[in-house]
Each structure stands twice: as structure tokens, then as C-alpha cells.
Amino acid sequence: MEKGFRLPNGTRIRLVEGDITRIPADAIANAANAALAGGAGVDGAIHRAGGPDILRELDEIRPRVGRLPAGQAVATGAGRLPARFVFHAVGPVYRDGRHGEAEALASCYRVCLEMAEERGCRSISFPAISTGVYGYPAEEAAPIATAEVRLFLESRAGSLREVIFVQFGEAAYRLYERLLGESGLQEAQD
Ligand code: AR6
């Protein structure tokens, strides 16, 4: 399943249901953890598909940055993934929504978009950060992700032409489809 939306300035938001490791993009955002040590979920899938080079790079970064706070990200190469970079973003662990979770989640998207621009990327893909192991309710996380991406594309996009939301499973895909569909964006036909 897949759908595209066009912004007035010609940039695009693409929505895809599937495995983020199989979808080509200049940069792939990862839902990592503070230890940058790999893990389950999409993090595990990215390390499995990308191969050991990614963890080797993280081994070098770790001593410099220590434990990475929620809302921040570091960049590595993408190993065997169909991408140039992986941005390892640390999402917030969801407690009750009153502990800065929304701002930290928004920051994950913003920081990754900025990192993509800094590296001249044309496209970046995102999983639904924090909505798995970290327990962020998908319906609360989705409007934060889409609003942050839209704001960035509308106001700050340079090299970046396309942001891809990769949703795992039909329910997550439908949630984004509804949100983006109701946002007044034009659906792209190609
Ligand atoms: N492609 C796209 N999305 C995926 C994939 C995939 N291959 N696999 C899972 N998802 P999670 P978090 C979706 O748990 O909540 C790890 O252990 C999944 O359905 O991967 O940020 C890290 O090391 C969900 O919607 O990340 C951290 O310790 C979304 O990706 C911790 O989990 C995020 O789920 C981070 O937890």
C-alpha cells in the first residue's frame, strides 16, 4: 500500500506500508535507544539488514556522546541498506504524556530532517518512532510526526524533496492515510 501527497512548493510526503529497510531513500531514520547499542523492533531490522558496519560506527560515536537524550540523533553510514545514511534518533519512552514526550518526539523528526538537509539528502524515510517498545500511543504520535514534517517541508526544505512515512501494518498505515488525507494536501497521482 502506498500513497503520495504534494505540498504547494512541490515537495512530497509519501506514505508506504511495509519494511523500512527495503525502501530506498537517501537517509533512513531509526528508532534507537540512548545506549545506541541496537535492539529490537525497527532498530533490530535496520542493523540486521544493514550489516555490522553500522554498529561499528556507533561503537566509535558512543564514547563521544555518552547516553543520548530523547529527542536527539546521531548519523552513521547505511551499510547494505538502500540508503546513504542512517540517523539513529532516540524517541521518548511514553509515561503519561505529561513528561515532555510530545516535544521530545517532535524533536526526533526535526533533528533528523535537519541532518538530512545538512547532508544534501533529497529523501528521508521515517518509522513511527516510539510507538512500539516505547509505548507512545500511535494516534497521539502520528499528528506530531506529520505536523513536524509538514512544517519543515513548507518552511525549511532545501535539498529535501521527499519525506517517506513507512508504517508497519495496515492499522498504522490507515491512521496516517486519514491524517494526511484530512490535512488539505493534494494527493499525488503518480
Ligand atoms: N519497518 C518499519 N517499521 C517497523 C519495522 C520495520 N522493519 N519494525 C517495526 N516497526 P520500535 P520504539 C515499527 O519498538 O517504540 C528497540 O529495541 C513498529 O511497528 O521499533 O521507538 C530500540 O533499540 C512501531 O510502529 O521503536 C529501543 O530500545 C515502530 O516501528 C526501543 O526499541 C517503532 O517501534 C525503541 O522503541
Side-chain angles (χ1 to χ4, degrees):
M1 280 182 288
E2 163 149 15
K3 215 168 227 191
F5 297 87
R6 201 188 311 275
L7 278 75
N9 65 3
T11 58
R12 291 164 67 109
I13 294 176
R14 228 171 103 205
L15 171 62
V16 182
E17 194 276 313
D19 178 354
I20 201 165
T21 66
R22 296 179 168 273
I23 296 158
D26 283 346
I28 297 177
N30 181 18
N33 55 59
L36 299 172
V42 69
D43 197 10
I46 282 175
H47 282 284
R48 267 195 308 279
D53 285 356
I54 297 177
L55 206 53
R56 271 199 284 273
E57 266 190 74
L58 288 172
D59 288 342
E60 285 170 22
I61 292 170
R62 215 175 289 122
R64 274 192 277 123
V65 301
R67 285 181 69 78
L68 205 63
Q72 295 199 19
V74 298
T76 66
R80 295 192 295 259
L81 291 167
R84 291 161 58 207
F85 306 104
V86 176
F87 301 149
H88 305 265
V90 181
V93 177
Y94 190 86
R95 289 165 68 185
D96 55 6
R98 297 192 205 138
H99 288 81
E101 293 96 330
E103 180 42 38
L105 186 64
S107 171
C108 287
Y109 287 90
R110 197 162 53 237
V111 166
C112 288
L113 291 162
E114 282 164 358
M115 290 169 93
E117 277 292 345
E118 281 163 16
R119 289 162 180 77
C121 294
R122 289 181 58 82
S123 60
I124 179 170
S125 62
F126 284 99
I129 298 169
S130 279
T131 66
V133 174
Y134 281 179
Y136 213 120
E139 320 73 55
E140 282 182 44
I144 295 171
T146 54
E148 208 57 51
V149 162
R150 194 167 166 182
L151 183 67
F152 194 94
L153 286 178
E154 279 168 350
S155 58
R156 297 171 65 192
S159 64
L160 211 51
R161 300 282 89 200
E162 183 174 71
V163 174
I164 311 164
F165 286 118
V166 184
Q167 296 300 307
F168 212 45
E170 182 167 349
Y173 177 90
R174 296 282 176 221
L175 172 63
Y176 271 70
E177 185 184 39
R178 182 166 50 74
L179 264 181
L180 291 167
E182 287 169 357
S183 69
L185 291 178
Q186 193 193 340
E187 230 180 273
Q189 297 308 327
D190 49 341

